[in-house]
Amino acid sequence: MIKTVEWTDEGVVMIDQRLLPGEEVYPVFKTCEEVARAIEQMVVRGAPAIGVAAAMGLALGVRNTKAGSIGEIEKDFDDMCRRMSRTRPTAVNLFWAIKRMRWRFNKAKQQEASPEVVRASLIAEAKLIHSEDIESNRRMGRFGAELIAEGSTVLTHCNAGALATAGFGTALGVIRAAIESGKRISVFAGETRPFLQGARLTAWELARDGVPVTLITDGMSGHFMKRGRIDCVIVGADRIAANGDVANKIGTYMVAIAAHENNIPFYVAAPLSTIDLTLNSGDEIPIEERAAEEVTHIHGERMAPDGIAVSNPAFDVTPHRYVSAIITNKGVAREPYDMSLKSLFANCGDGAETGSV
Ligand code: MRU
């Protein structure tokens, strides 16, 4: 399995996703600030992977701090949490992971743990978030695989694979699980302008696993749906509001409309850490605006007129009425989402798992 994010004694090792598929390079990030920059600069991306990286970045920061007392460590930790929360605004997994690390810190503090124990417990928590994410994707895969018929061609958008998580993937995890269960599945991957996560990452990781994958440009998906070439759509999510509205990579909304028009199921696969019950609807989800150069340039080469006005929202929101089901690590939710999503959180222990503490 691809090692997207890994804790080592030297620091956090992450595959540099900006260089794929041309080069497979694994730099080591040695400070919390280095990890925060890696998230901003898209070395690591994808909602769950961002959360795992952020948790490891905070653990690294607490391990590195020269602070001697719990009070001093906490002051540094607060600064690191603030820094980390400014990296990217849309994927709620980032804020979930920060909250969960804060919860672990508070728990250790209440137990009057020594600085060494606080450091060790934050490292342990970050590693746990990592391993839980893989387990959660496997569970999601098992739930989702049942929705995919033998012989299906599945359209996906962006990259919701091993590269977007600690491993296995959410949307691609469902596809992998369906294949593991013996079904013959092929995939259409939308290229995902402007950052090309579909062309560079999804195509790369599926081809590497021997999954039949056909790359198309974003504008082609409606055409293939109308021609009966797509049986269902599965995408990941960056944040899901309480009513089931789904923020995901820009272009997802148009895919959902085309799927609806053609009577094709549109599934979203995401862990509970992507569901934000504090927001009533998708209108409240903050949408990241990224640099104009991502639109005007390809591989550093300008292909739009100099000085042209550009808009570059990185995500859009698909209204829940277009979502056939939301596949989570706790089961499959369907309309009415304001009830079904809430009930998934019902048996989640002391809240550590959901970040609701
Ligand atoms: O800008 P990115 O590459 O971080 O956006 C990623 C996506 O939109 C994914 O579809 C989403 O995070 C789900 S990943 C399992």
Side-chain angles (χ1 to χ4, degrees), residues 42 45-48 88 158-160 164 170 197 236-238 248-249 315:
M42 309 280 277
R45 31 66 50 201
R88 295 192 72 192
C158 193
N159 172 267
T170 57
Q197 287 93 333
D238 292 86
N248 190 47
K249 181 52 56 192
F315 303 95

Side-chain angles (χ1 to χ4, degrees), residues 36-64:
R37 283 199 202 133
I39 294 171
E40 275 164 355
Q41 295 166 5
M42 309 280 277
V43 169
V44 62
R45 31 66 50 201
I50 290 170
V52 173
M56 288 190 176
L58 292 175
L60 206 53
V62 169
R63 189 187 75 174
N64 292 350

Side-chain angles (χ1 to χ4, degrees), residues 3-302:
K3 286 190 173 157
T4 306
V5 192
E6 198 185 8
W7 177 270
T8 70
D9 288 343
E10 286 74 50
V12 181
V13 176
M14 297 191 273
I15 185 168
D16 189 339
Q17 301 195 27
R18 300 166 306 178
L19 305 179
L20 290 170
E23 285 174 73
E24 198 175 327
V25 178
Y26 293 83
V28 188
F29 298 86
K30 297 190 170 167
T31 66
C32 181
E33 177 58 26
E34 283 181 14
V35 174
R37 283 199 202 133
I39 294 171
E40 275 164 355
Q41 295 166 5
M42 309 280 277
V43 169
V44 62
R45 31 66 50 201
I50 290 170
V52 173
M56 288 190 176
L58 292 175
L60 206 53
V62 169
R63 189 187 75 174
N64 292 350
T65 174
K66 300 273 181 291
S69 70
I70 295 294
E72 286 165 355
I73 296 176
E74 186 167 21
K75 208 171 143 291
D76 288 353
F77 180 65
D78 284 344
D79 288 344
M80 290 178 234
C81 289
R82 270 192 290 276
R83 167 67 182 106
M84 206 50 95
S85 67
R86 285 194 305 270
T87 52
R88 295 192 72 192
T90 303
V92 75
N93 307 61
L94 171 77
F95 306 98
W96 173 89
I98 294 169
K99 211 158 139 189
R100 178 148 156 187
M101 293 298 277
R102 155 59 67 194
W103 169 81
R104 168 53 62 197
F105 190 100
N106 288 344
K107 210 164 167 184
K109 202 173 96 175
Q110 275 160 18
Q111 289 163 349
E112 296 179 10
S114 65
E116 290 66 39
V117 171
V118 168
R119 288 184 167 98
S121 69
L122 286 181
I123 293 169
E125 193 69 20
K127 286 182 177 172
L128 189 61
I129 289 173
H130 180 271
S131 60
E132 279 177 8
D133 187 58
I134 299 173
E135 176 52 28
S136 146
N137 292 336
R138 292 245 168 221
R139 280 175 63 91
M140 209 183 302
R142 286 195 288 276
F143 289 127
E146 290 175 22
L147 303 176
I148 317 296
E150 154 65 13
S152 291
T153 298
V154 180
L155 171 70
T156 191
H157 186 67
C158 193
N159 172 267
L163 288 167
T165 61
F168 202 63
T170 57
L172 298 194
V174 169
I175 291 167
R176 287 190 166 104
I179 293 171
E180 280 176 8
S181 76
K183 291 175 185 164
R184 282 167 301 137
I185 307 291
S186 55
V187 178
F188 269 49
E191 66 168 348
T192 320
R193 278 278 291 151
F195 210 73
L196 302 177
Q197 287 93 333
R200 296 189 305 102
L201 309 177
T202 297
W204 180 77
E205 74 165 84
L206 290 181
R208 200 172 185 261
D209 275 7
V211 177
V213 54
T214 302
L215 177 64
I216 59 171
T217 69
D218 297 335
M220 295 174 187
S221 54
H223 166 79
F224 285 112
M225 289 187 204
K226 193 155 177 286
R227 292 254 160 131
R229 299 277 303 277
I230 311 281
D231 298 297
C232 69
V233 178
I234 311 180
V235 296
D238 292 86
R239 196 185 293 224
I240 300 173
N243 69 345
D245 290 352
V246 174
N248 190 47
K249 181 52 56 192
I250 192 78
T252 303
Y253 175 42
M254 292 204 314
V255 172
I257 293 171
H260 184 77
E261 157 77 9
N262 288 282
N263 278 317
I264 293 169
F266 178 90
Y267 299 121
V268 174
L272 291 202
S273 52
T274 303
I275 299 172
D276 184 352
L277 294 181
T278 69
L279 303 184
N280 292 322
S281 89
D283 296 343
E284 298 168 47
I285 298 175
I287 301 292
E288 177 181 12
E289 181 75 24
R290 292 190 59 86
E293 287 68 35
E294 289 182 359
V295 177
T296 54
H297 290 65
I298 289 185
H299 283 309
E301 200 162 318
R302 171 174 281 283

